[in-house]
mmCIF file of all heavy atoms in Angstrom:
data_model
loop_
_atom_site.group_PDB
_atom_site.id
_atom_site.type_symbol
_atom_site.label_atom_id
_atom_site.label_comp_id
_atom_site.label_asym_id
_atom_site.label_seq_id
_atom_site.Cartn_x
_atom_site.Cartn_y
_atom_site.Cartn_z
ATOM 1 N N LEU A 1 -0.025 -4.681 11.331
ATOM 2 C CA LEU A 1 1.125 -5.391 10.773
ATOM 3 C C LEU A 1 2.176 -5.674 11.848
ATOM 4 O O LEU A 1 2.790 -6.747 11.857
ATOM 5 C CB LEU A 1 1.723 -4.578 9.626
ATOM 6 C CG LEU A 1 0.840 -4.444 8.378
ATOM 7 C CD1 LEU A 1 1.431 -3.411 7.427
ATOM 8 C CD2 LEU A 1 0.683 -5.787 7.677
ATOM 9 N N ARG A 2 2.394 -4.718 12.727
ATOM 10 C CA ARG A 2 3.370 -4.902 13.804
ATOM 11 C C ARG A 2 2.981 -6.073 14.694
ATOM 12 O O ARG A 2 3.839 -6.876 15.101
ATOM 13 C CB ARG A 2 3.495 -3.610 14.617
ATOM 14 C CG ARG A 2 4.631 -3.620 15.618
ATOM 15 C CD ARG A 2 4.767 -2.254 16.295
ATOM 16 N NE ARG A 2 3.731 -2.022 17.309
ATOM 17 C CZ ARG A 2 3.673 -0.932 18.071
ATOM 18 N NH1 ARG A 2 4.571 0.046 17.915
ATOM 19 N NH2 ARG A 2 2.715 -0.777 18.970
ATOM 20 N N GLU A 3 1.690 -6.192 14.993
ATOM 21 C CA GLU A 3 1.216 -7.297 15.828
ATOM 22 C C GLU A 3 1.399 -8.639 15.119
ATOM 23 O O GLU A 3 1.808 -9.633 15.738
ATOM 24 C CB GLU A 3 -0.258 -7.080 16.180
ATOM 25 C CG GLU A 3 -0.821 -8.132 17.113
ATOM 26 C CD GLU A 3 -2.254 -7.836 17.523
ATOM 27 O OE1 GLU A 3 -2.764 -6.741 17.207
ATOM 28 O OE2 GLU A 3 -2.858 -8.717 18.163
ATOM 29 N N LEU A 4 1.115 -8.675 13.814
ATOM 30 C CA LEU A 4 1.322 -9.905 13.054
ATOM 31 C C LEU A 4 2.804 -10.252 12.991
ATOM 32 O O LEU A 4 3.187 -11.434 13.080
ATOM 33 C CB LEU A 4 0.734 -9.761 11.650
ATOM 34 C CG LEU A 4 0.806 -10.987 10.741
ATOM 35 C CD1 LEU A 4 0.167 -12.210 11.382
ATOM 36 C CD2 LEU A 4 0.147 -10.686 9.394
ATOM 37 N N GLN A 5 3.653 -9.228 12.869
ATOM 38 C CA GLN A 5 5.099 -9.460 12.863
ATOM 39 C C GLN A 5 5.573 -9.999 14.209
ATOM 40 O O GLN A 5 6.471 -10.851 14.262
ATOM 41 C CB GLN A 5 5.838 -8.166 12.512
ATOM 42 C CG GLN A 5 7.352 -8.273 12.463
ATOM 43 C CD GLN A 5 7.870 -8.979 11.217
ATOM 44 O OE1 GLN A 5 7.166 -9.757 10.591
ATOM 45 N NE2 GLN A 5 9.115 -8.725 10.872
ATOM 46 N N ASP A 6 4.985 -9.535 15.306
ATOM 47 C CA ASP A 6 5.306 -10.109 16.617
ATOM 48 C C ASP A 6 5.046 -11.608 16.623
ATOM 49 O O ASP A 6 5.778 -12.383 17.244
ATOM 50 C CB ASP A 6 4.454 -9.454 17.710
ATOM 51 C CG ASP A 6 4.966 -8.097 18.159
ATOM 52 O OD1 ASP A 6 6.154 -7.797 17.924
ATOM 53 O OD2 ASP A 6 4.177 -7.336 18.750
ATOM 54 N N GLU A 7 3.987 -12.005 15.934
ATOM 55 C CA GLU A 7 3.567 -13.405 15.916
ATOM 56 C C GLU A 7 4.445 -14.268 15.013
ATOM 57 O O GLU A 7 4.841 -15.375 15.395
ATOM 58 C CB GLU A 7 2.112 -13.489 15.464
ATOM 59 C CG GLU A 7 1.554 -14.884 15.360
ATOM 60 C CD GLU A 7 0.163 -14.886 14.750
ATOM 61 O OE1 GLU A 7 -0.523 -13.840 14.787
ATOM 62 O OE2 GLU A 7 -0.243 -15.950 14.237
ATOM 63 N N THR A 8 4.750 -13.772 13.801
ATOM 64 C CA THR A 8 5.399 -14.627 12.801
ATOM 65 C C THR A 8 6.849 -14.272 12.495
ATOM 66 O O THR A 8 7.628 -15.138 12.104
ATOM 67 C CB THR A 8 4.627 -14.579 11.470
ATOM 68 O OG1 THR A 8 4.806 -13.287 10.859
ATOM 69 C CG2 THR A 8 3.144 -14.856 11.679
ATOM 70 N N GLY A 9 7.195 -12.985 12.617
ATOM 71 C CA GLY A 9 8.540 -12.545 12.243
ATOM 72 C C GLY A 9 8.831 -12.677 10.762
ATOM 73 O O GLY A 9 9.994 -12.632 10.346
ATOM 74 N N GLY A 10 7.780 -12.794 9.930
ATOM 75 C CA GLY A 10 8.004 -13.104 8.526
ATOM 76 C C GLY A 10 8.054 -11.939 7.568
ATOM 77 O O GLY A 10 8.328 -12.129 6.376
ATOM 78 N N PHE A 11 7.794 -10.719 8.023
ATOM 79 C CA PHE A 11 7.875 -9.567 7.125
ATOM 80 C C PHE A 11 9.317 -9.088 7.031
ATOM 81 O O PHE A 11 9.976 -8.860 8.048
ATOM 82 C CB PHE A 11 6.989 -8.425 7.612
ATOM 83 C CG PHE A 11 5.513 -8.690 7.519
ATOM 84 C CD1 PHE A 11 4.690 -8.574 8.625
ATOM 85 C CD2 PHE A 11 4.945 -9.054 6.302
ATOM 86 C CE1 PHE A 11 3.332 -8.821 8.538
ATOM 87 C CE2 PHE A 11 3.582 -9.298 6.197
ATOM 88 C CZ PHE A 11 2.777 -9.192 7.325
ATOM 89 N N SER A 12 9.788 -8.919 5.823
ATOM 90 C CA SER A 12 11.162 -8.459 5.605
ATOM 91 C C SER A 12 11.257 -6.950 5.481
ATOM 92 O O SER A 12 12.302 -6.362 5.802
ATOM 93 C CB SER A 12 11.743 -9.106 4.345
ATOM 94 O OG SER A 12 10.916 -8.830 3.218
ATOM 95 N N VAL A 13 10.170 -6.309 5.036
ATOM 96 C CA VAL A 13 10.234 -4.877 4.740
ATOM 97 C C VAL A 13 8.820 -4.312 4.735
ATOM 98 O O VAL A 13 7.860 -5.012 4.397
ATOM 99 C CB VAL A 13 10.931 -4.633 3.375
ATOM 100 C CG1 VAL A 13 10.179 -5.302 2.240
ATOM 101 C CG2 VAL A 13 11.132 -3.154 3.090
ATOM 102 N N PHE A 14 8.697 -3.027 5.119
ATOM 103 C CA PHE A 14 7.428 -2.303 5.027
ATOM 104 C C PHE A 14 7.571 -1.235 3.958
ATOM 105 O O PHE A 14 8.566 -0.497 3.924
ATOM 106 C CB PHE A 14 7.060 -1.668 6.362
ATOM 107 C CG PHE A 14 5.792 -0.854 6.311
ATOM 108 C CD1 PHE A 14 4.595 -1.434 5.925
ATOM 109 C CD2 PHE A 14 5.799 0.492 6.653
ATOM 110 C CE1 PHE A 14 3.422 -0.695 5.874
ATOM 111 C CE2 PHE A 14 4.635 1.241 6.619
ATOM 112 C CZ PHE A 14 3.439 0.647 6.222
ATOM 113 N N ILE A 15 6.540 -1.127 3.094
ATOM 114 C CA ILE A 15 6.620 -0.243 1.936
ATOM 115 C C ILE A 15 5.400 0.673 1.897
ATOM 116 O O ILE A 15 4.314 0.254 1.468
ATOM 117 C CB ILE A 15 6.692 -1.049 0.619
ATOM 118 C CG1 ILE A 15 7.685 -2.202 0.728
ATOM 119 C CG2 ILE A 15 7.062 -0.129 -0.549
ATOM 120 C CD1 ILE A 15 7.569 -3.225 -0.390
ATOM 121 N N PRO A 16 5.518 1.923 2.328
ATOM 122 C CA PRO A 16 4.433 2.883 2.108
ATOM 123 C C PRO A 16 4.386 3.278 0.625
ATOM 124 O O PRO A 16 5.401 3.679 0.047
ATOM 125 C CB PRO A 16 4.829 4.080 2.993
ATOM 126 C CG PRO A 16 5.866 3.542 3.942
ATOM 127 C CD PRO A 16 6.583 2.483 3.171
ATOM 128 N N LEU A 17 3.228 3.143 0.016
ATOM 129 C CA LEU A 17 3.047 3.433 -1.406
ATOM 130 C C LEU A 17 2.132 4.646 -1.560
ATOM 131 O O LEU A 17 1.027 4.665 -1.030
ATOM 132 C CB LEU A 17 2.418 2.226 -2.112
ATOM 133 C CG LEU A 17 3.206 0.916 -2.012
ATOM 134 C CD1 LEU A 17 2.368 -0.248 -2.539
ATOM 135 C CD2 LEU A 17 4.521 1.014 -2.763
ATOM 136 N N ARG A 18 2.589 5.642 -2.293
ATOM 137 C CA ARG A 18 1.800 6.862 -2.457
ATOM 138 C C ARG A 18 0.742 6.671 -3.541
ATOM 139 O O ARG A 18 1.045 6.263 -4.666
ATOM 140 C CB ARG A 18 2.703 8.041 -2.816
ATOM 141 C CG ARG A 18 1.957 9.371 -2.874
ATOM 142 C CD ARG A 18 2.888 10.540 -3.131
ATOM 143 N NE ARG A 18 3.407 10.561 -4.489
ATOM 144 C CZ ARG A 18 3.828 11.657 -5.105
ATOM 145 N NH1 ARG A 18 3.805 12.825 -4.484
ATOM 146 N NH2 ARG A 18 4.298 11.600 -6.322
ATOM 147 N N PHE A 19 -0.501 6.970 -3.214
ATOM 148 C CA PHE A 19 -1.570 6.937 -4.210
ATOM 149 C C PHE A 19 -1.236 7.885 -5.353
ATOM 150 O O PHE A 19 -0.800 9.021 -5.139
ATOM 151 C CB PHE A 19 -2.906 7.337 -3.573
ATOM 152 C CG PHE A 19 -3.964 7.692 -4.579
ATOM 153 C CD1 PHE A 19 -4.526 6.718 -5.375
ATOM 154 C CD2 PHE A 19 -4.364 9.008 -4.742
ATOM 155 C CE1 PHE A 19 -5.488 7.043 -6.320
ATOM 156 C CE2 PHE A 19 -5.323 9.345 -5.685
ATOM 157 C CZ PHE A 19 -5.888 8.364 -6.477
ATOM 158 N N GLN A 20 -1.466 7.410 -6.583
ATOM 159 C CA GLN A 20 -1.142 8.180 -7.777
ATOM 160 C C GLN A 20 -2.403 8.657 -8.486
ATOM 161 O O GLN A 20 -3.326 7.872 -8.729
ATOM 162 C CB GLN A 20 -0.356 7.300 -8.763
ATOM 163 C CG GLN A 20 0.911 6.706 -8.190
ATOM 164 C CD GLN A 20 1.998 7.742 -8.014
ATOM 165 O OE1 GLN A 20 2.450 8.347 -8.979
ATOM 166 N NE2 GLN A 20 2.418 7.938 -6.792
ATOM 167 N N HIS A 21 -2.431 9.937 -8.835
ATOM 168 C CA HIS A 21 -3.463 10.421 -9.734
ATOM 169 C C HIS A 21 -3.240 9.844 -11.127
ATOM 170 O O HIS A 21 -2.140 9.424 -11.472
ATOM 171 C CB HIS A 21 -3.412 11.940 -9.828
ATOM 172 C CG HIS A 21 -4.199 12.612 -8.752
ATOM 173 N ND1 HIS A 21 -4.483 13.954 -8.776
ATOM 174 C CD2 HIS A 21 -4.776 12.131 -7.619
ATOM 175 C CE1 HIS A 21 -5.190 14.272 -7.702
ATOM 176 N NE2 HIS A 21 -5.376 13.188 -6.988
ATOM 177 N N ASP A 22 -4.281 9.852 -11.910
ATOM 178 C CA ASP A 22 -4.198 9.463 -13.309
ATOM 179 C C ASP A 22 -4.081 10.732 -14.140
ATOM 180 O O ASP A 22 -4.998 11.557 -14.169
ATOM 181 C CB ASP A 22 -5.448 8.670 -13.705
ATOM 182 C CG ASP A 22 -5.305 8.048 -15.075
ATOM 183 O OD1 ASP A 22 -4.920 8.771 -16.012
ATOM 184 O OD2 ASP A 22 -5.573 6.852 -15.198
ATOM 185 N N SER A 23 -2.967 10.889 -14.804
ATOM 186 C CA SER A 23 -2.695 12.146 -15.504
ATOM 187 C C SER A 23 -3.599 12.364 -16.706
ATOM 188 O O SER A 23 -3.725 13.482 -17.191
ATOM 189 C CB SER A 23 -1.226 12.184 -15.953
ATOM 190 O OG SER A 23 -0.964 11.128 -16.871
ATOM 191 N N VAL A 24 -4.238 11.288 -17.202
ATOM 192 C CA VAL A 24 -5.111 11.458 -18.365
ATOM 193 C C VAL A 24 -6.583 11.356 -17.981
ATOM 194 O O VAL A 24 -7.457 11.328 -18.840
ATOM 195 C CB VAL A 24 -4.776 10.411 -19.461
ATOM 196 C CG1 VAL A 24 -3.366 10.627 -19.975
ATOM 197 C CG2 VAL A 24 -4.951 8.987 -18.942
ATOM 198 N N GLY A 25 -6.855 11.304 -16.674
ATOM 199 C CA GLY A 25 -8.238 11.308 -16.220
ATOM 200 C C GLY A 25 -8.994 10.033 -16.504
ATOM 201 O O GLY A 25 -10.196 10.055 -16.799
ATOM 202 N N ASP A 26 -8.323 8.885 -16.425
ATOM 203 C CA ASP A 26 -8.966 7.590 -16.648
ATOM 204 C C ASP A 26 -10.114 7.423 -15.650
ATOM 205 O O ASP A 26 -9.919 7.535 -14.441
ATOM 206 C CB ASP A 26 -7.936 6.471 -16.459
ATOM 207 C CG ASP A 26 -8.444 5.125 -16.954
ATOM 208 O OD1 ASP A 26 -9.607 4.789 -16.659
ATOM 209 O OD2 ASP A 26 -7.667 4.413 -17.619
ATOM 210 N N PRO A 27 -11.322 7.152 -16.119
ATOM 211 C CA PRO A 27 -12.464 7.026 -15.191
ATOM 212 C C PRO A 27 -12.340 5.849 -14.235
ATOM 213 O O PRO A 27 -13.074 5.788 -13.252
ATOM 214 C CB PRO A 27 -13.661 6.851 -16.141
ATOM 215 C CG PRO A 27 -13.080 6.377 -17.431
ATOM 216 C CD PRO A 27 -11.729 7.020 -17.531
ATOM 217 N N ARG A 28 -11.450 4.913 -14.510
ATOM 218 C CA ARG A 28 -11.245 3.809 -13.578
ATOM 219 C C ARG A 28 -10.695 4.311 -12.242
ATOM 220 O O ARG A 28 -10.918 3.716 -11.196
ATOM 221 C CB ARG A 28 -10.268 2.787 -14.169
ATOM 222 C CG ARG A 28 -10.752 2.105 -15.438
ATOM 223 C CD ARG A 28 -9.667 1.201 -16.001
ATOM 224 N NE ARG A 28 -10.072 0.643 -17.283
ATOM 225 C CZ ARG A 28 -9.894 1.249 -18.452
ATOM 226 N NH1 ARG A 28 -9.342 2.449 -18.489
ATOM 227 N NH2 ARG A 28 -10.299 0.674 -19.575
ATOM 228 N N ASN A 29 -9.910 5.376 -12.306
ATOM 229 C CA ASN A 29 -9.312 5.953 -11.104
ATOM 230 C C ASN A 29 -10.308 6.959 -10.537
ATOM 231 O O ASN A 29 -10.399 8.097 -10.995
ATOM 232 C CB ASN A 29 -7.983 6.626 -11.458
ATOM 233 C CG ASN A 29 -7.166 6.997 -10.237
ATOM 234 O OD1 ASN A 29 -7.728 7.384 -9.219
ATOM 235 N ND2 ASN A 29 -5.854 6.893 -10.349
ATOM 236 N N ARG A 30 -11.071 6.530 -9.523
ATOM 237 C CA ARG A 30 -12.214 7.317 -9.052
ATOM 238 C C ARG A 30 -11.886 8.191 -7.845
ATOM 239 O O ARG A 30 -12.788 8.706 -7.192
ATOM 240 C CB ARG A 30 -13.379 6.380 -8.714
ATOM 241 C CG ARG A 30 -13.805 5.515 -9.908
ATOM 242 C CD ARG A 30 -15.113 4.796 -9.672
ATOM 243 N NE ARG A 30 -15.071 3.903 -8.529
ATOM 244 C CZ ARG A 30 -14.572 2.667 -8.539
ATOM 245 N NH1 ARG A 30 -14.022 2.188 -9.648
ATOM 246 N NH2 ARG A 30 -14.609 1.910 -7.454
#
């Protein structure tokens, strides 16, 4: 992402998103 930002300057913000467990054990969340 840093290299792409060097090229375009178009990113306004970086957002680390924490992976979430499924509290009800949904099988979709593997």
Side-chain angles (χ1 to χ4, degrees):
L1 293 170
R2 189 175 76 177
E3 183 176 352
L4 183 55
Q5 180 75 337
D6 280 340
E7 178 187 338
T8 71
F11 291 125
S12 56
V13 60
F14 177 58
I15 315 166
L17 302 170
R18 185 176 71 155
F19 164 70
Q20 303 287 298
H21 274 192
D22 190 311
S23 62
V24 296
D26 192 316
R28 297 175 185 86
N29 192 324
R30 302 191 300 278

